[in-house]
Amino acid sequence: MPYETITVTPISPVIGAEISGIDLRQPLGNQAFAEIHRALLEHLVIFFRDQDIDWEQHKAFGRRFGALHIHPTAPAPEGHPEILVIHADENSKTIAGENWHSDVSCDAEPPMGSILHLHQVPSPGGDTMFANMYAAYDALSDAMKSLLDGLHARHESRHVHLGRLGNKGRMRDGTDAYPESVHPVVRTHPETGRKALYVNENFTTRIEEMKSAESRALLEFLYRHVETPEFHCRFHWRPKSIAFWDNRCAQHRALWDYFPQTRHGYRVTVAGTRPH
Ligand code: SIN
């Protein structure tokens, strides 16, 4: 079915499409919302250019897709707990999202999607890579699929968040219990019904039903499998670009090839449901 309110231009056959013909400073009409939602489900990550939105417009766009997620540890600008600051410069020791991951998969109900708006970008460098986890699952043998289909994996966050983004061992709610959860290794997307691989190098630490040597070997195989270039696209940012990705079926990885240049922007994250 053709799109009527937006133009959708795939940037690879497998994942990623650029959306034009929409100004996100304006409230989204129902038709435009439905078409953007459809493009996200079809392409897993969608990109917008030249969007001069402020934090309120950014949050309003996110809220069309669901309640906003609050990050367990990352500090937020005063009065805007839903805004996650993404920043790297000449003083940075690490950056957010440098390993392949699905956002905050340590949560019991990990985010459905994330909407990143960059204001300042390095030139050249600072691209973000995205990987299609339906394609990763579909490419496996039937024997591997039936092994994975019954397995569950633990996703932890202490090793990811402690010391990063200014975190010193405390959650936003004042506790010191870093979130961790057990999720199926293969999840079924609640909207498309398709199966997607759901382990990632950042948060996943072990497969519950296996001995630790078996778990390590299998996870290592799956992490290398996710790196297959044919599952990927690579987005080159310009100031005021937006990337909106579906964490239920895509992973992403931020490239830090631009030190000591500055890269700066804000992320709004849409809450999700428990993976099944
Ligand atoms: C993230 O994981 O949200 C950061 C992605 C990026 O900075 O490109």
Side-chain angles (χ1 to χ4, degrees), residues 56-167:
E56 291 305 337
Q57 290 157 338
H58 194 168
K59 289 193 280 188
F61 179 53
R63 283 196 181 105
R64 284 305 306 257
F65 295 84
L68 299 186
H69 172 273
I70 310 267
H71 196 277
T73 57
E78 183 75 33
H80 296 276
E82 313 89 345
I83 297 281
L84 180 73
V85 180
I86 298 290
H87 181 91
D89 63 24
E90 59 185 357
N91 299 311
S92 301
K93 303 278 183 283
T94 56
I95 62 159
E98 219 186 341
N99 295 322
W100 282 108
H101 66 289
S102 175
D103 286 323
V104 208
S105 65
C106 52
D107 275 9
E109 297 185 339
M112 161 269 184
S114 303
I115 305 169
L116 178 61
H117 184 220
L118 288 190
H119 291 215
Q120 187 176 352
V121 301
S123 180
D127 293 357
T128 307
M129 297 182 66
F130 296 90
N132 180 331
M133 291 301 105
Y134 299 133
Y137 177 76
D138 291 345
L140 296 167
S141 67
D142 288 344
M144 181 59 84
K145 284 179 187 159
S146 50
L147 172 66
L148 298 182
D149 275 342
L151 298 177
H152 299 82
R154 184 162 295 273
H155 296 239
E156 298 183 62
S157 59
R158 189 173 197 282
H159 64 286
V160 179
H161 291 145
L162 181 62
R164 295 232 177 145
L165 299 169
N167 179 257

Side-chain angles (χ1 to χ4, degrees), residues 27 41 69 72 143 157 159 161 171 206 215 228 237 253:
L41 294 182
H69 172 273
S157 59
H159 64 286
H161 291 145
M171 303 306 105
R206 63 176 188 272
S215 164
T228 304
W237 294 88
R253 188 190 153 184

